Amino acid sequence: MERTKIDQLKGNIGQTVLVKGWIQEFRGQSKIKFILLRDISGVAQCVVFDQSLFDACSKVTTETVVSIEGLVKTATVKSAEVTENTLEIEVKKLDIINTAEPLPINVVEKDKSIITDLSKRLDYRFLDLHKRDIQAIFKVQSTLVQAYHEFMIKEGAIEALFPSIIGASSEGGTEVFEVKYFEKSALLSQSCQLYKQMIACSMEKVFAVFTVWRAEKHNTVRHLNESRQFDFEMAFADDKDVMDVLARCIQFMIEKVMKENQRELALLNAKLKVPGVKYLTFAEVSGIMKKHGIHLGADDLSGEAEEKLGELYPETIVFVHDWPLSGKPFYIMPKGDELSLGFDAIYRGMEISSGGQRVHLPELLVERLKAKDLNPENFKSYIDSFRYGAPPHAGWGAGVERITMLILGLKNIREAALFPRDRERLTP
Ligand code: ATP
Ligand code: MG
């Protein structure tokens, strides 16, 4: 018999089906036993009347993997857990596929006051991922990544696969991880910045979902030491052009999640709306913050200011552009002496992306590197790549886990990474 997924039971009323999954819960009375069976598509209530199966039932532990054959019918007893349908399976045959040992963490946390803490859950992430609400997070993340591909391909961008081990730091300043590379020492990539620029200068429009490593010692709820980025770069474009691409891209991704993940959003109690777009200069934001008693530094937004923007412009992607030159990396194009063509995008009170027009002129790059106290010698091959026909170009990078966290209202970015890497955690 072919396996039926739990969300397909509806079409099989009155028929015998074969279902496979995990035992989420087992309850027994003397004449009747109940099993809640879970697969990736849902949870089904299974009832056992047949006394000859009671012995097998008594052996099942929670999360044991079983196969059940039974008759699909309208439920006799309703269970609060089973929201998918009001059907149940009357069990005719029960086979244990693999017995689960006693669980180190609960998979069903009925009493929300004794919820396992995040760190312990992450120690047992493989088991944490048996939970339906945790699965929901990563179903949504999967939709985001798919939507990103779909959007970018429609935009006419090509997908690039970049190296992650590099010979020299791509950004200068930020802390990088060193790795042994045969006789030499190499670094783990902090961004694909320089590579995506080279591809934009040859193939015009490029995107990537790229893993980055940052050796920053911070331990915050919004940073990981390994994270993924949605990257984009485009030739013959300025900051305004790529802000528009980013806005439409995020809107498309959110719309897709709203369409395809209704069940997951409900399970996570996440309210989602396609965001609007607002453009403000850094100077304007400074003024707005002053009015609200928040003092901004000369060239960066504080966490407090980002939060305030989220409050003032709810459900909006706020682009803060004309950013002070001193606050942006060397590869961002200056706009006059003080400003730049760099921007940040803030959504729900947090930075989701940074981007801008790049410096495509070798002499200007040398000047900008020096202005940042970086040695142009160390960036020679990068600078040289712009000597043989480099068009003006612009782009951005947006955090995959950061966006997942914000659209689902998760409190900690670790919740939005399958296997997070932070200062303390390298396993599982
Ligand atoms: P932040 O100011 O929030 O620390 P950043 O300006 O250092 O971020 P960028 O280099 O601009 O980060 O990276 C682009 C995007 O990648 C950020 O807007 C954010 O969404 C995400 N991101 C950056 N650093 C991290 C990190 N350590 N962990 C998770 N996501 C990150
Ligand atoms: Mg940034």
Side-chain angles (χ1 to χ4, degrees):
M1 203 187 297
E2 224 174 278
R3 178 183 172 201
T4 301
K5 286 288 190 71
I6 284 169
D7 65 353
Q8 298 303 312
L9 292 178
K10 229 175 266 166
N12 287 284
I13 298 173
Q15 296 186 28
T16 300
V17 294
L18 167 69
V19 286
K20 294 181 183 184
W22 291 259
I23 302 277
Q24 182 165 302
E25 202 182 312
F26 174 75
R27 273 178 291 130
Q29 294 163 13
S30 63
K31 293 215 168 91
I32 182 171
K33 314 279 178 204
F34 292 99
I35 289 169
L36 289 185
L37 183 77
R38 183 188 70 248
D39 69 14
I40 190 62
S41 71
V43 179
Q45 174 165 278
C46 306
V47 281
V48 188
F49 296 112
D50 184 348
Q51 304 237 346
S52 70
L53 294 174
F54 282 14
D55 194 37
C57 284
S58 69
K59 294 203 180 82
V60 294
T61 51
T62 39
E63 296 311 308
T64 284
V65 182
V66 298
S67 124
I68 286 175
E69 275 178 44
L71 182 68
V72 182
K73 48 186 213 171
T74 313
T76 40
V77 185
K78 283 201 183 141
S79 160
E81 281 286 315
V82 189
T83 47
E84 260 65 30
N85 48 46
T86 49
L87 301 176
E88 67 185 18
I89 299 172
E90 189 183 322
V91 180
K92 303 290 182 199
K93 191 160 176 269
L94 175 94
D95 290 316
I96 293 175
I97 297 174
N98 200 355
T99 303
E101 294 179 19
L103 307 181
I105 58 168
N106 285 333
V107 167
V108 178
E109 293 179 308
K110 282 194 165 157
D111 182 353
K112 298 291 180 197
S113 66
I114 48 162
I115 282 178
T116 317
D117 75 64
L118 181 59
S119 155
K120 176 123 191 246
R121 277 177 41 212
L122 291 176
D123 290 343
Y124 297 98
R125 188 58 145 173
F126 46 88
L127 186 54
D128 194 45
L129 287 163
H130 284 218
K131 296 178 191 163
R132 299 195 68 219
D133 51 345
I134 306 303
Q135 293 174 350
I137 295 172
F138 296 101
K139 284 187 189 179
V140 168
Q141 192 168 72
S142 169
T143 305
L144 285 172
V145 175
Q146 283 173 41
Y148 184 64
H149 277 88
E150 198 181 323
F151 177 86
M152 281 298 165
I153 284 160
K154 269 197 212 137
E155 284 289 302
I158 66 144
E159 179 165 16
L161 308 170
F162 294 117
S164 289
I165 294 186
I166 53 174
S169 166
S170 49
E171 308 258 340
T174 28
E175 295 191 55
V176 283
F177 287 109
E178 264 185 51
V179 289
K180 240 209 261 164
Y181 193 74
F182 303 109
E183 299 76 31
K184 291 186 199 149
S185 145
L187 306 170
L188 288 181
S189 189
Q190 311 142 271
S191 89
C192 59
Q193 184 59 38
L194 311 184
Y195 292 99
K196 65 179 178 173
Q197 285 190 251
M198 291 188 214
I199 303 301
C201 289
S202 51
M203 293 196 267
E204 298 200 21
K205 254 188 212 183
V206 57
F207 77 98
V209 180
F210 189 70
T211 306
V212 299
W213 292 270
R214 300 191 177 184
E216 290 145 2
K217 295 191 175 84
H218 49 49
N219 210 339
T220 78
V221 294
R222 52 188 269 179
H223 292 100
L224 294 163
N225 290 107
E226 177 185 80
S227 66
R228 265 110 326 224
Q229 289 197 357
F230 295 117
D231 272 294
F232 175 69
E233 200 73 21
M234 178 183 172
F236 306 106
D238 63 14
D239 57 337
K240 300 280 183 323
D241 296 320
V242 295
M243 281 192 270
D244 175 63
V245 175
L246 179 57
R248 288 187 291 108
C249 181
I250 300 284
Q251 286 169 332
F252 180 85
M253 293 191 335
I254 290 180
E255 204 173 327
K256 181 123 176 158
V257 167
M258 287 168 65
K259 237 183 259 161
E260 300 198 350
N261 295 107
Q262 286 173 20
R263 256 205 278 182
E264 287 73 31
L265 292 175
L267 206 57
L268 293 166
N269 206 4
K271 306 268 179 296
L272 208 48
K273 214 179 131 187
V274 177
V277 186
K278 175 87 188 166
Y279 291 90
L280 294 168
T281 64
F282 189 92
E284 283 169 333
V285 173
S286 260
I288 293 169
M289 291 304 144
K290 201 177 267 172
K291 258 190 237 157
H292 288 88
I294 298 170
H295 178 72
L296 270 197
D299 63 9
D300 206 4
L301 291 186
S302 56
E304 192 188 9
E306 290 178 6
E307 246 171 69
K308 194 78 200 169
L309 284 177
E311 226 174 277
L312 296 172
Y313 305 98
E315 301 306 318
T316 304
I317 302 163
V318 182
F319 285 104
V320 184
H321 58 99
D322 281 22
W323 200 281
L325 188 57
S326 57
K328 285 292 172 193
F330 69 88
Y331 51 77
I332 291 288
M333 184 63 96
K335 179 179 179 178
D337 290 340
E338 302 285 317
L339 299 180
S340 77
L341 296 180
F343 63 83
D344 273 13
I346 315 294
Y347 168 68
R348 292 190 165 179
M350 224 180 264
E351 176 189 324
I352 54 166
S353 175
S354 286
Q357 185 176 330
R358 321 303 189 183
V359 177
H360 64 291
L361 308 169
E363 292 66 35
L364 184 54
L365 257 179
V366 171
E367 194 187 311
R368 292 305 308 146
L369 280 160
K370 285 183 184 157
K372 296 278 176 195
D373 284 329
L374 293 165
N375 184 356
E377 284 300 308
N378 298 338
F379 293 83
K380 188 171 180 314
S381 65
Y382 169 64
I383 300 167
D384 287 347
S385 78
F386 299 111
R387 294 192 192 278
Y388 312 101
H393 58 281
W396 40 257
V400 174
E401 293 88 356
R402 189 72 71 79
I403 291 174
T404 309
M405 164 194 189
L406 290 168
I407 68 169
L408 294 178
L410 306 174
K411 299 270 181 296
N412 191 321
I413 196 165
R414 289 162 184 75
E415 296 262 16
L418 276 170
F419 301 102
R421 295 284 173 260
D422 64 23
R423 188 82 201 274
E424 271 95 45
R425 183 173 298 280
L426 264 174
T427 54

